[in-house]
Amino acid sequence: MKDNQSCNSTITIIVMCAIVFLVFTFCYIYLYQAESLAYLQHTLSQGKTHYERTIGAFIITTLAVLLQYAVFRITGLRKRGHALTYFPSVLGLTVLTDVRACGYVSHFWIWLAPLLLVAWVALAWVCKQFETYEPGKDNPGIFSRIMWINLLSMAAMLVFMITCSNSNEVLHHRLRIENMVVKAKYEKALEVGRKSLENDSSLTMLRFYALARAGKAGEEFFKYPVSDGKSALLLPDGQSTKTLMMNPKIIKAFSQKKGRADYQLMGYLLDRDLDGFAKTVGQYYDTDSTAIPRHYREALVLYTHLRQHRVLTYHDAVLDADYEDMKKLLKKIPDRTQRESAVRDTYGNTYWCYYFRREG
């Protein structure tokens, strides 16, 4: 009876650990690291092959499970140390998904991974020696002490995998946007990191391209965090502003043809060149019309208020009132840091916030 109870408890431990690992690994590869793996494959194949999300997740998960099974057959760990049979698979997944901006995994794994494996072998050996002395009687099922020891060990290893792999939020956003843009899914690309404040010049460039493709550049660009890099950040330069998998020539070609209006006008706004903007906007929009995108209207209102000698005068009742309120807020707060924070909280999705960010 005791032997049957012990056997049932062991089987329950093995099954539960397998389910946890299988489900977590597939979701981790499919939902979280798909873009990282696509980037790694793109780099290794020099762009000649394409990573397929579902097939890739299935193959990698299967290989990880097969590796664990082989380790289990070799070590025979069944009781408190059973979760340790998953460590080689966890380590392999961690190394595989620790993809950096260069397109390769971190070089420090060359020496760290062998050290971790040596430590794991020592720990697995100790656990195997103690299995002989462990009591055979234990409450079977998910409420047993041995079960929770294994599940906590699994949780620790999975946290290790998430922490030590590619968890760079900006890099993930860049890769996901590029993946969506290549598939012409511009609306989905614009949902990536919409509520995040993390940003860099390359992410700004990619978002603007997606917005321009979706016809929303002049309406929504400043609703996202925008890096201070002037008009140069709208186009890839191969250094501080660049794509990871996309051909940068695609963006440059679009900016010179279909997207010329948005790239030229937004370039003036990022350079804070209101005079150049005012002289050019009439080439693309009727300034007497209300059909001008919001950010361009904000720039025209700002130009009208700041310039005494101007090439055009533009008024919008709502925006004029908002601008006057913002001016009062600017005068009310003398401290620059507090002033910028207050403007960002109230007018953070406007061109005005960007324009005054480095003023006085």
Side-chain angles (χ1 to χ4, degrees), residues 15-65:
V15 171
M16 283 297 296
C17 287
I19 292 173
V20 170
F21 181 77
L22 184 65
V23 173
F24 181 90
T25 300
F26 186 86
C27 293
Y28 172 78
I29 297 298
Y30 183 82
L31 299 175
Y32 185 54
Q33 295 290 6
E35 287 77 19
S36 298
L37 291 168
Y39 185 32
L40 178 62
Q41 180 169 322
H42 174 86
T43 304
L44 294 175
S45 69
Q46 297 181 339
K48 295 179 181 179
T49 61
H50 174 71
Y51 177 83
E52 208 292 316
R53 189 188 198 105
T54 304
I55 295 176
F58 178 78
I59 291 175
I60 293 172
T61 302
T62 300
L63 291 175
V65 171

Short mmCIF file of all heavy atoms in Angstrom, two decimals, residues 15-65:
data_model
loop_
_atom_site.label_atom_id
_atom_site.label_comp_id
_atom_site.label_asym_id
_atom_site.label_seq_id
_atom_site.Cartn_x
_atom_site.Cartn_y
_atom_site.Cartn_z
N VAL A 15 4.12 14.49 -13.61
CA VAL A 15 3.09 15.02 -14.52
C VAL A 15 2.90 16.52 -14.31
O VAL A 15 2.84 17.29 -15.27
CB VAL A 15 1.76 14.27 -14.33
CG1 VAL A 15 0.64 14.96 -15.11
CG2 VAL A 15 1.90 12.82 -14.78
N MET A 16 2.81 16.95 -13.05
CA MET A 16 2.59 18.37 -12.76
C MET A 16 3.76 19.22 -13.25
O MET A 16 3.56 20.28 -13.86
CB MET A 16 2.38 18.57 -11.26
CG MET A 16 1.01 18.19 -10.76
SD MET A 16 -0.31 19.19 -11.50
CE MET A 16 0.09 20.81 -10.86
N CYS A 17 4.98 18.78 -12.99
CA CYS A 17 6.15 19.53 -13.45
C CYS A 17 6.17 19.60 -14.98
O CYS A 17 6.51 20.64 -15.56
CB CYS A 17 7.43 18.88 -12.94
SG CYS A 17 7.73 19.13 -11.17
N ALA A 18 5.81 18.50 -15.62
CA ALA A 18 5.80 18.47 -17.08
C ALA A 18 4.76 19.45 -17.64
O ALA A 18 5.04 20.17 -18.61
CB ALA A 18 5.51 17.05 -17.57
N ILE A 19 3.58 19.48 -17.04
CA ILE A 19 2.53 20.38 -17.51
C ILE A 19 2.95 21.84 -17.35
O ILE A 19 2.81 22.65 -18.27
CB ILE A 19 1.21 20.11 -16.76
CG1 ILE A 19 0.65 18.75 -17.14
CG2 ILE A 19 0.19 21.22 -17.05
CD1 ILE A 19 -0.56 18.33 -16.33
N VAL A 20 3.49 22.16 -16.16
CA VAL A 20 3.93 23.54 -15.90
C VAL A 20 4.99 23.97 -16.91
O VAL A 20 4.92 25.04 -17.51
CB VAL A 20 4.47 23.68 -14.46
CG1 VAL A 20 5.16 25.02 -14.28
CG2 VAL A 20 3.34 23.52 -13.46
N PHE A 21 5.98 23.11 -17.12
CA PHE A 21 7.07 23.44 -18.03
C PHE A 21 6.59 23.55 -19.47
O PHE A 21 6.97 24.48 -20.20
CB PHE A 21 8.18 22.38 -17.93
CG PHE A 21 9.35 22.67 -18.82
CD1 PHE A 21 10.28 23.63 -18.48
CD2 PHE A 21 9.52 21.98 -20.01
CE1 PHE A 21 11.36 23.92 -19.31
CE2 PHE A 21 10.59 22.24 -20.85
CZ PHE A 21 11.52 23.21 -20.49
N LEU A 22 5.76 22.62 -19.88
CA LEU A 22 5.27 22.59 -21.27
C LEU A 22 4.47 23.84 -21.58
O LEU A 22 4.71 24.52 -22.60
CB LEU A 22 4.43 21.34 -21.49
CG LEU A 22 3.92 21.10 -22.91
CD1 LEU A 22 5.09 20.84 -23.85
CD2 LEU A 22 2.96 19.92 -22.94
N VAL A 23 3.51 24.17 -20.73
CA VAL A 23 2.65 25.33 -20.97
C VAL A 23 3.45 26.63 -20.91
O VAL A 23 3.32 27.50 -21.77
CB VAL A 23 1.49 25.37 -19.94
CG1 VAL A 23 0.70 26.67 -20.07
CG2 VAL A 23 0.58 24.17 -20.14
N PHE A 24 4.28 26.75 -19.88
CA PHE A 24 5.06 27.98 -19.73
C PHE A 24 6.02 28.18 -20.91
O PHE A 24 6.12 29.28 -21.46
CB PHE A 24 5.86 27.95 -18.43
CG PHE A 24 6.66 29.20 -18.19
CD1 PHE A 24 6.11 30.27 -17.51
CD2 PHE A 24 7.96 29.33 -18.68
CE1 PHE A 24 6.84 31.44 -17.32
CE2 PHE A 24 8.70 30.49 -18.49
CZ PHE A 24 8.13 31.54 -17.80
N THR A 25 6.72 27.13 -21.29
CA THR A 25 7.70 27.25 -22.37
C THR A 25 7.06 27.64 -23.69
O THR A 25 7.56 28.52 -24.41
CB THR A 25 8.48 25.93 -22.54
OG1 THR A 25 9.16 25.63 -21.33
CG2 THR A 25 9.49 26.03 -23.66
N PHE A 26 5.94 27.01 -24.02
CA PHE A 26 5.28 27.34 -25.29
C PHE A 26 4.81 28.80 -25.29
O PHE A 26 5.01 29.52 -26.26
CB PHE A 26 4.10 26.41 -25.54
CG PHE A 26 3.47 26.60 -26.89
CD1 PHE A 26 3.98 25.95 -28.00
CD2 PHE A 26 2.39 27.46 -27.06
CE1 PHE A 26 3.43 26.14 -29.26
CE2 PHE A 26 1.83 27.66 -28.31
CZ PHE A 26 2.35 27.00 -29.42
N CYS A 27 4.19 29.23 -24.19
CA CYS A 27 3.72 30.62 -24.10
C CYS A 27 4.90 31.59 -24.12
O CYS A 27 4.83 32.65 -24.76
CB CYS A 27 2.89 30.81 -22.83
SG CYS A 27 1.33 29.91 -22.82
N TYR A 28 5.96 31.24 -23.43
CA TYR A 28 7.16 32.09 -23.37
C TYR A 28 7.76 32.29 -24.76
O TYR A 28 8.11 33.41 -25.15
CB TYR A 28 8.17 31.43 -22.43
CG TYR A 28 9.53 32.07 -22.40
CD1 TYR A 28 9.76 33.25 -21.68
CD2 TYR A 28 10.62 31.49 -23.06
CE1 TYR A 28 11.02 33.83 -21.63
CE2 TYR A 28 11.88 32.06 -23.02
CZ TYR A 28 12.07 33.23 -22.31
OH TYR A 28 13.32 33.81 -22.27
N ILE A 29 7.86 31.21 -25.52
CA ILE A 29 8.43 31.29 -26.87
C ILE A 29 7.46 31.95 -27.84
O ILE A 29 7.85 32.81 -28.65
CB ILE A 29 8.81 29.88 -27.38
CG1 ILE A 29 9.90 29.26 -26.50
CG2 ILE A 29 9.28 29.94 -28.83
CD1 ILE A 29 11.21 30.01 -26.49
N TYR A 30 6.21 31.57 -27.77
CA TYR A 30 5.22 32.05 -28.75
C TYR A 30 4.80 33.50 -28.51
O TYR A 30 4.69 34.28 -29.46
CB TYR A 30 3.99 31.15 -28.71
CG TYR A 30 2.94 31.51 -29.73
CD1 TYR A 30 3.05 31.08 -31.04
CD2 TYR A 30 1.83 32.28 -29.37
CE1 TYR A 30 2.08 31.41 -31.99
CE2 TYR A 30 0.87 32.61 -30.30
CZ TYR A 30 1.00 32.17 -31.61
OH TYR A 30 0.04 32.52 -32.53
N LEU A 31 4.58 33.86 -27.25
CA LEU A 31 4.03 35.18 -26.94
C LEU A 31 5.09 36.23 -26.61
O LEU A 31 4.91 37.41 -26.91
CB LEU A 31 3.04 35.08 -25.77
CG LEU A 31 1.82 34.19 -25.99
CD1 LEU A 31 1.01 34.10 -24.69
CD2 LEU A 31 0.96 34.72 -27.12
N TYR A 32 6.18 35.82 -25.97
CA TYR A 32 7.12 36.80 -25.43
C TYR A 32 8.41 36.93 -26.23
O TYR A 32 8.92 38.03 -26.41
CB TYR A 32 7.43 36.43 -23.98
CG TYR A 32 8.31 37.44 -23.25
CD1 TYR A 32 7.96 38.79 -23.21
CD2 TYR A 32 9.48 37.04 -22.62
CE1 TYR A 32 8.76 39.71 -22.55
CE2 TYR A 32 10.28 37.96 -21.94
CZ TYR A 32 9.92 39.29 -21.91
OH TYR A 32 10.71 40.21 -21.27
N GLN A 33 8.94 35.82 -26.70
CA GLN A 33 10.26 35.86 -27.34
C GLN A 33 10.23 35.56 -28.84
O GLN A 33 11.29 35.36 -29.45
CB GLN A 33 11.20 34.87 -26.65
CG GLN A 33 11.52 35.21 -25.20
CD GLN A 33 12.42 36.43 -25.06
OE1 GLN A 33 12.72 37.11 -26.04
NE2 GLN A 33 12.85 36.72 -23.86
N ALA A 34 9.08 35.56 -29.45
CA ALA A 34 9.00 35.24 -30.88
C ALA A 34 9.83 36.22 -31.72
O ALA A 34 10.55 35.82 -32.64
CB ALA A 34 7.54 35.24 -31.34
N GLU A 35 9.72 37.50 -31.41
CA GLU A 35 10.45 38.51 -32.19
C GLU A 35 11.96 38.39 -31.97
O GLU A 35 12.75 38.59 -32.90
CB GLU A 35 9.98 39.92 -31.82
CG GLU A 35 8.60 40.28 -32.35
CD GLU A 35 7.48 39.65 -31.54
OE1 GLU A 35 7.75 39.24 -30.38
OE2 GLU A 35 6.35 39.56 -32.05
N SER A 36 12.37 38.08 -30.74
CA SER A 36 13.79 37.90 -30.45
C SER A 36 14.36 36.75 -31.26
O SER A 36 15.46 36.84 -31.83
CB SER A 36 14.01 37.64 -28.96
OG SER A 36 13.58 38.74 -28.18
N LEU A 37 13.63 35.64 -31.33
CA LEU A 37 14.08 34.48 -32.08
C LEU A 37 14.07 34.76 -33.59
O LEU A 37 14.94 34.29 -34.32
CB LEU A 37 13.20 33.27 -31.75
CG LEU A 37 13.36 32.75 -30.32
CD1 LEU A 37 12.27 31.75 -29.98
CD2 LEU A 37 14.74 32.12 -30.14
N ALA A 38 13.09 35.53 -34.03
CA ALA A 38 13.05 35.92 -35.44
C ALA A 38 14.27 36.76 -35.80
O ALA A 38 14.87 36.61 -36.87
CB ALA A 38 11.77 36.69 -35.74
N TYR A 39 14.64 37.66 -34.88
CA TYR A 39 15.81 38.51 -35.10
C TYR A 39 17.09 37.68 -35.10
O TYR A 39 17.98 37.89 -35.93
CB TYR A 39 15.85 39.58 -34.00
CG TYR A 39 16.95 40.60 -34.16
CD1 TYR A 39 17.41 41.01 -35.40
CD2 TYR A 39 17.53 41.17 -33.01
CE1 TYR A 39 18.42 41.96 -35.52
CE2 TYR A 39 18.53 42.12 -33.13
CZ TYR A 39 18.97 42.52 -34.38
OH TYR A 39 19.97 43.45 -34.49
N LEU A 40 17.18 36.73 -34.18
CA LEU A 40 18.36 35.86 -34.12
C LEU A 40 18.50 35.05 -35.41
O LEU A 40 19.61 34.96 -35.98
CB LEU A 40 18.25 34.92 -32.92
CG LEU A 40 19.38 33.91 -32.73
CD1 LEU A 40 20.70 34.62 -32.50
CD2 LEU A 40 19.07 32.97 -31.57
N GLN A 41 17.39 34.49 -35.87
CA GLN A 41 17.45 33.71 -37.12
C GLN A 41 17.78 34.59 -38.31
O GLN A 41 18.55 34.20 -39.19
CB GLN A 41 16.12 32.99 -37.35
CG GLN A 41 16.11 32.15 -38.63
CD GLN A 41 14.90 31.24 -38.70
OE1 GLN A 41 14.46 30.68 -37.70
NE2 GLN A 41 14.36 31.06 -39.91
N HIS A 42 17.21 35.80 -38.31
CA HIS A 42 17.50 36.75 -39.39
C HIS A 42 18.99 37.07 -39.44
O HIS A 42 19.59 37.14 -40.52
CB HIS A 42 16.69 38.03 -39.16
CG HIS A 42 17.01 39.13 -40.12
ND1 HIS A 42 16.41 39.25 -41.36
CD2 HIS A 42 17.88 40.19 -40.02
CE1 HIS A 42 16.89 40.32 -41.98
NE2 HIS A 42 17.78 40.89 -41.18
N THR A 43 19.59 37.26 -38.26
CA THR A 43 21.01 37.59 -38.18
C THR A 43 21.89 36.42 -38.61
O THR A 43 22.81 36.58 -39.41
CB THR A 43 21.39 38.02 -36.75
OG1 THR A 43 20.56 39.11 -36.35
CG2 THR A 43 22.85 38.45 -36.68
N LEU A 44 21.58 35.24 -38.08
CA LEU A 44 22.39 34.06 -38.39
C LEU A 44 22.31 33.66 -39.85
O LEU A 44 23.29 33.18 -40.43
CB LEU A 44 21.97 32.90 -37.49
CG LEU A 44 22.24 33.07 -35.99
CD1 LEU A 44 21.67 31.90 -35.21
CD2 LEU A 44 23.74 33.21 -35.72
N SER A 45 21.14 33.83 -40.45
CA SER A 45 20.96 33.45 -41.86
C SER A 45 21.21 34.60 -42.81
O SER A 45 21.04 34.45 -44.02
CB SER A 45 19.53 32.92 -42.07
OG SER A 45 18.58 33.97 -41.94
N GLN A 46 21.59 35.77 -42.23
CA GLN A 46 21.82 36.99 -43.02
C GLN A 46 20.58 37.36 -43.85
O GLN A 46 20.69 37.80 -45.00
CB GLN A 46 23.03 36.80 -43.93
CG GLN A 46 24.33 36.58 -43.16
CD GLN A 46 25.54 36.41 -44.05
OE1 GLN A 46 25.42 36.08 -45.23
NE2 GLN A 46 26.72 36.65 -43.49
N GLY A 47 19.43 37.16 -43.23
CA GLY A 47 18.17 37.56 -43.85
C GLY A 47 17.64 36.62 -44.90
O GLY A 47 16.66 36.93 -45.57
N LYS A 48 18.24 35.43 -45.03
CA LYS A 48 17.83 34.50 -46.09
C LYS A 48 16.68 33.60 -45.68
O LYS A 48 16.02 33.01 -46.54
CB LYS A 48 19.03 33.65 -46.52
CG LYS A 48 20.16 34.47 -47.17
CD LYS A 48 21.33 33.59 -47.55
CE LYS A 48 22.45 34.43 -48.16
NZ LYS A 48 23.64 33.60 -48.51
N THR A 49 16.45 33.44 -44.38
CA THR A 49 15.34 32.61 -43.90
C THR A 49 14.45 33.41 -42.97
O THR A 49 14.86 34.43 -42.43
CB THR A 49 15.86 31.36 -43.15
OG1 THR A 49 16.62 31.77 -42.00
CG2 THR A 49 16.73 30.50 -44.05
N HIS A 50 13.24 32.93 -42.78
CA HIS A 50 12.24 33.64 -41.97
C HIS A 50 11.74 32.73 -40.86
O HIS A 50 11.44 31.55 -41.08
CB HIS A 50 11.07 34.07 -42.86
CG HIS A 50 9.93 34.68 -42.10
ND1 HIS A 50 10.02 35.93 -41.51
CD2 HIS A 50 8.69 34.22 -41.83
CE1 HIS A 50 8.88 36.21 -40.92
NE2 HIS A 50 8.05 35.19 -41.09
N TYR A 51 11.67 33.27 -39.65
CA TYR A 51 11.18 32.53 -38.49
C TYR A 51 9.66 32.52 -38.49
O TYR A 51 9.02 33.57 -38.59
CB TYR A 51 11.71 33.17 -37.21
CG TYR A 51 11.22 32.54 -35.93
CD1 TYR A 51 11.84 31.40 -35.41
CD2 TYR A 51 10.15 33.09 -35.23
CE1 TYR A 51 11.41 30.82 -34.23
CE2 TYR A 51 9.71 32.52 -34.04
CZ TYR A 51 10.34 31.39 -33.55
OH TYR A 51 9.90 30.82 -32.38
N GLU A 52 9.07 31.31 -38.36
CA GLU A 52 7.62 31.19 -38.29
C GLU A 52 7.23 30.96 -36.85
O GLU A 52 7.65 29.99 -36.22
CB GLU A 52 7.15 30.03 -39.17
CG GLU A 52 5.73 30.19 -39.72
CD GLU A 52 4.67 30.11 -38.64
OE1 GLU A 52 4.78 29.21 -37.78
OE2 GLU A 52 3.74 30.94 -38.63
N ARG A 53 6.41 31.84 -36.32
CA ARG A 53 6.10 31.90 -34.89
C ARG A 53 5.58 30.57 -34.32
O ARG A 53 6.12 30.06 -33.33
CB ARG A 53 5.08 33.02 -34.67
CG ARG A 53 4.80 33.35 -33.23
CD ARG A 53 3.63 34.32 -33.13
NE ARG A 53 3.61 34.98 -31.85
CZ ARG A 53 3.96 36.23 -31.64
NH1 ARG A 53 4.40 36.96 -32.64
NH2 ARG A 53 3.90 36.77 -30.44
N THR A 54 4.54 30.01 -34.91
CA THR A 54 3.90 28.82 -34.36
C THR A 54 4.80 27.60 -34.50
O THR A 54 4.99 26.84 -33.53
CB THR A 54 2.56 28.55 -35.07
OG1 THR A 54 1.73 29.71 -34.96
CG2 THR A 54 1.85 27.36 -34.44
N ILE A 55 5.36 27.40 -35.68
CA ILE A 55 6.25 26.25 -35.91
C ILE A 55 7.47 26.35 -35.01
O ILE A 55 7.91 25.36 -34.41
CB ILE A 55 6.67 26.19 -37.39
CG1 ILE A 55 5.44 25.93 -38.27
CG2 ILE A 55 7.71 25.09 -37.60
CD1 ILE A 55 5.74 25.94 -39.75
N GLY A 56 8.04 27.56 -34.90
CA GLY A 56 9.21 27.75 -34.06
C GLY A 56 8.94 27.42 -32.60
O GLY A 56 9.73 26.73 -31.95
N ALA A 57 7.80 27.88 -32.09
CA ALA A 57 7.45 27.61 -30.69
C ALA A 57 7.24 26.12 -30.46
O ALA A 57 7.67 25.56 -29.43
CB ALA A 57 6.18 28.38 -30.32
N PHE A 58 6.62 25.45 -31.41
CA PHE A 58 6.38 24.01 -31.28
C PHE A 58 7.69 23.22 -31.30
O PHE A 58 7.92 22.34 -30.46
CB PHE A 58 5.47 23.53 -32.42
CG PHE A 58 5.21 22.06 -32.40
CD1 PHE A 58 4.28 21.51 -31.53
CD2 PHE A 58 5.90 21.20 -33.26
CE1 PHE A 58 4.05 20.13 -31.51
CE2 PHE A 58 5.67 19.83 -33.25
CZ PHE A 58 4.74 19.30 -32.37
N ILE A 59 8.58 23.56 -32.24
CA ILE A 59 9.84 22.83 -32.36
C ILE A 59 10.73 23.05 -31.13
O ILE A 59 11.28 22.10 -30.56
CB ILE A 59 10.60 23.26 -33.63
CG1 ILE A 59 9.84 22.78 -34.88
CG2 ILE A 59 12.02 22.70 -33.64
CD1 ILE A 59 10.44 23.25 -36.18
N ILE A 60 10.87 24.30 -30.71
CA ILE A 60 11.73 24.61 -29.56
C ILE A 60 11.19 23.98 -28.28
O ILE A 60 11.95 23.43 -27.48
CB ILE A 60 11.88 26.13 -29.41
CG1 ILE A 60 12.64 26.71 -30.60
CG2 ILE A 60 12.59 26.48 -28.11
CD1 ILE A 60 12.67 28.22 -30.64
N THR A 61 9.88 24.04 -28.08
CA THR A 61 9.28 23.43 -26.89
C THR A 61 9.49 21.92 -26.90
O THR A 61 9.82 21.31 -25.87
CB THR A 61 7.77 23.74 -26.82
OG1 THR A 61 7.59 25.16 -26.80
CG2 THR A 61 7.15 23.14 -25.57
N THR A 62 9.31 21.31 -28.06
CA THR A 62 9.50 19.86 -28.18
C THR A 62 10.94 19.47 -27.86
O THR A 62 11.20 18.50 -27.12
CB THR A 62 9.15 19.39 -29.61
OG1 THR A 62 7.78 19.71 -29.89
CG2 THR A 62 9.34 17.88 -29.73
N LEU A 63 11.90 20.21 -28.40
CA LEU A 63 13.31 19.91 -28.13
C LEU A 63 13.65 20.07 -26.65
O LEU A 63 14.41 19.28 -26.08
CB LEU A 63 14.21 20.82 -28.98
CG LEU A 63 14.18 20.57 -30.49
CD1 LEU A 63 15.01 21.62 -31.22
CD2 LEU A 63 14.70 19.17 -30.81
N ALA A 64 13.08 21.11 -26.03
CA ALA A 64 13.32 21.33 -24.60
C ALA A 64 12.76 20.19 -23.76
O ALA A 64 13.39 19.73 -22.79
CB ALA A 64 12.70 22.65 -24.16
N VAL A 65 11.58 19.69 -24.12
CA VAL A 65 10.97 18.57 -23.41
C VAL A 65 11.78 17.29 -23.61
O VAL A 65 12.00 16.51 -22.66
CB VAL A 65 9.52 18.37 -23.87
CG1 VAL A 65 8.95 17.06 -23.30
CG2 VAL A 65 8.65 19.54 -23.43
#
